[in-house]
Amino acid sequence: MDTDDALSILSALSHPTRLDAFRLLIRHEPDGLSTGELVDASGLTQSTFSTHLAVMVKAGLVLSEKRGRQQIQSANLDVLRGLMIYLVKDCCQGRAELCESLLAELTCC
């Protein structure tokens, strides 16, 4: 990941609706949610939410898959992982013991 990629992802997450939707998708991994469920959770109209969804898809944060008659959205955990690694790559001047608490917070329970 380079600076432009990181900025694109962070920009996509910089809106409350998109951040909430992405966090909701993270909570529903690995199954994802239908677009309709995301729209309902957002409280927005379908067209307004679709604009937000398109920004997240363009940034690579959200993957879309057709399952039957529904479009299922899921968080792209590889992109999230890449962003997290990019942000902390040079953490603590190479002294891993200083990063232990951060790594513990990032580790799934």
Side-chain angles (χ1 to χ4, degrees):
M1 176 165 302
D2 62 23
T3 300
D4 289 339
D5 293 333
L7 289 172
S8 174
I9 294 164
L10 292 169
S11 177
L13 292 174
S14 69
H15 189 281
T17 296
R18 294 191 293 265
L19 182 59
D20 289 346
F22 187 71
R23 293 185 73 216
L24 183 60
L25 287 173
I26 295 267
R27 286 193 295 275
H28 284 86
E29 279 301 307
D31 299 323
L33 289 170
S34 71
T35 305
E37 291 171 311
L38 285 168
V39 169
D40 291 345
S42 74
L44 300 173
T45 65
Q46 169 105 28
S47 61
T48 301
F49 185 79
S50 291
T51 302
H52 289 292
L53 183 59
V55 170
M56 293 187 294
V57 168
K58 183 177 180 185
L61 286 166
V62 175
L63 301 172
S64 184
E65 173 189 354
K66 186 142 176 97
R67 290 187 201 155
R69 298 176 64 198
Q70 293 186 326
Q71 206 58 36
I72 302 299
Q73 311 300 328
S74 60
N76 188 341
L77 298 181
D78 289 335
V79 168
L80 178 60
R81 184 178 300 109
L83 177 63
M84 295 291 100
I85 290 169
Y86 175 82
L87 292 173
V88 300
K89 187 168 181 108
D90 299 319
C91 177
C92 305
Q93 300 174 7
R95 295 174 31 204
E97 70 278 4
L98 297 176
C99 297
E100 287 177 9
S101 62
L102 173 64
L103 295 174
E105 290 271 341
L106 292 174
T107 304
C108 290
C109 300

